[in-house]
């Protein structure tokens, strides 16, 4: 998680928005989770509320949420990222709209656009991984770069495919044996979580919160060694993650990365070449491309 923070500082000061690229999947999805009337992205899990969270989080709800999060090997997620940095009382921010199709293990196709919502001229990127190689393409320059998956995953750019998609790709392989056995159950995952909490002495808290008239359950995990806190805003009735927030400090700057999940589709049908990239005619290969708004 901490690897993302320097890139946040680099991006800040520019407003980022979504402008749809061609859809990554033509077929209809098997199941869609549409999040409606979400709280403002600025108003979700405020630090002052989190400091009072219980030390005995609801593991039953967490287990059900994790089961829903990883029960399929493939998800298509549309989300809004907001990046804030505060130093000496001054806050600057940037935001991004992202559409990512992620498939375990390590495959994804992500469409990212920078600019003001509804405006033209925003910078757009297409990022594709076949599990071994990652291609980054800039349509405006007709340039693309290629790297190995491990290098991209360690880079400061990786969170821009969406924190939820990046997290899914990281943890999904751990649950593959359960998927193969058809035993991804709330009870089984609750047993795994309970064991993890005992063995790792994880600093996990949780509690119910009413935010803008809606009831949520907020989970908070603090990694004191790495120096960050991650919050997940869960809709308790559906046991689905609606927002993820990471709070950290780097180079004397307080950094907050917030992702609002707008739509998450379970197991969408995909084209055979979804996770491969064929350079358009006239496209030039370059050494590297960084995902930047300007």
């Amino acid at each position: 998680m901490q690897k993302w923070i320097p890139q946040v500082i680099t991006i800040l000061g520019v407003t980022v928005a979504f402008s749809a690229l061609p859809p990554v999947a033509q077929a209809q999805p098997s199941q869609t989770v549409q999040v409606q009337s979400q709280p403002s992205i600025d108003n979700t899990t405020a630090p002052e509320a989190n400091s009072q969270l219980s030390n005995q989080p609801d593991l039953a709800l967490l287990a059900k949420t994790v089961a829903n999060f990883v029960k399929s090997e493939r998800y298509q997620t549309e989300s809004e990222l907001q990046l804030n940095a505060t130093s000496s009382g001054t806050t600057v921010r940037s935001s991004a709209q992202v559409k990512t199709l992620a498939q375990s293990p390590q495959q994804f196709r992500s469409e990212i656009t920078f600019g003001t919502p509804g405006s033209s001229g925003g910078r757009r990127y297409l990022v594709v991984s076949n599990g071994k190689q990652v291609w980054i393409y800039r349509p405006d320059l007709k340039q693309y770069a290629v790297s190995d998956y491990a290098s991209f995953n360690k880079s400061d750019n990786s969170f821009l495919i969406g924190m939820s998609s990046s997290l899914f790709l990281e943890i999904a392989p751990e649950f593959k044996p359960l998927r193969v056995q058809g035993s991804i159950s709330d009870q089984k995952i609750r047993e795994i979580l309970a064991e993890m909490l005992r063995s790792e002495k994880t600093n996990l808290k949780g509690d119910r919160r009413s935010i803008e008239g809606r009831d949520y359950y907020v989970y908070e995990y603090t990694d004191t060694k790495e120096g960050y806190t991650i919050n997940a805003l869960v809709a308790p009735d559906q046991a689905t993650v609606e927002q993820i927030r990471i709070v950290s400090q780097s180079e004397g700057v307080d950094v907050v990365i917030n992702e609002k999940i707008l739509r998450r589709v379970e197991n969408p049908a995909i084209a055979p070449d979804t996770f491969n990239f064929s350079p358009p005619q006239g496209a030039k290969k370059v050494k590297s491309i960084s995902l930047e708004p300007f």
Side-chain angles (χ1 to χ4, degrees), residues 228-243:
Y228 70 84
T229 296
I230 180 169
N231 304 318
L233 190 68
V234 173
D237 292 341
Q238 296 79 28
T240 55
V241 179
E242 292 198 356
Q243 298 198 36

Side-chain angles (χ1 to χ4, degrees), residues 47-58:
E48 58 269 25
N50 291 341
S51 63
Q52 301 174 15
L53 295 178
S54 169
N55 288 316
Q56 297 181 332
D58 187 340

Side-chain angles (χ1 to χ4, degrees), residues 175-192:
F175 294 92
K176 183 176 180 179
L178 297 182
R179 279 196 297 269
V180 172
Q181 299 166 13
S183 59
I184 292 189
S185 65
D186 300 352
Q187 180 59 35
K188 185 64 176 178
I189 292 181
R190 186 173 180 177
E191 293 172 3
I192 294 173

Side-chain angles (χ1 to χ4, degrees), residues 33 61 64-65 68 214 234-240 242:
V33 176
L61 175 59
K64 188 174 183 180
T65 303
N68 287 338
R214 289 190 61 190
V234 173
D237 292 341
Q238 296 79 28
T240 55
E242 292 198 356

Side-chain angles (χ1 to χ4, degrees), residues 19 114-123:
S19 177
F114 294 90
T116 302
S119 69
S120 59
R123 181 175 290 187

Side-chain angles (χ1 to χ4, degrees), residues 21-37:
L21 289 167
V24 298
Q26 302 299 325
Q28 293 298 315
S30 62
Q31 182 177 348
T32 301
V33 176
Q34 183 96 32
V35 180
Q36 298 181 356
S37 302

Side-chain angles (χ1 to χ4, degrees), residues 114-211:
F114 294 90
T116 302
S119 69
S120 59
R123 181 175 290 187
R124 300 187 298 166
Y125 296 89
L126 175 65
V127 188
V128 182
S129 169
N130 66 2
K132 296 179 180 179
Q133 289 186 312
V134 176
W135 294 265
I136 300 178
Y137 175 57
R138 274 193 61 174
D140 58 329
L141 298 181
K142 287 193 173 182
Q143 293 181 348
Y144 71 97
V146 186
S147 68
D148 61 89
Y149 180 88
S151 296
F152 176 83
N153 192 44
K154 293 177 182 178
S155 74
D156 295 334
N157 287 320
S158 61
F159 82 98
L160 285 169
I161 72 169
M163 291 190 295
S164 57
S165 295
S166 183
L167 181 62
F168 168 74
L169 289 171
E170 184 175 333
I171 69 174
E174 302 297 324
F175 294 92
K176 183 176 180 179
L178 297 182
R179 279 196 297 269
V180 172
Q181 299 166 13
S183 59
I184 292 189
S185 65
D186 300 352
Q187 180 59 35
K188 185 64 176 178
I189 292 181
R190 186 173 180 177
E191 293 172 3
I192 294 173
L193 291 172
E195 181 60 30
M196 289 173 59
L197 292 174
R198 283 194 298 268
S199 62
E200 299 181 9
K201 296 182 174 57
T202 306
N203 188 1
L204 180 67
K205 298 181 179 181
D207 211 344
R208 290 184 177 271
R209 288 286 182 268
S210 179
I211 304 172

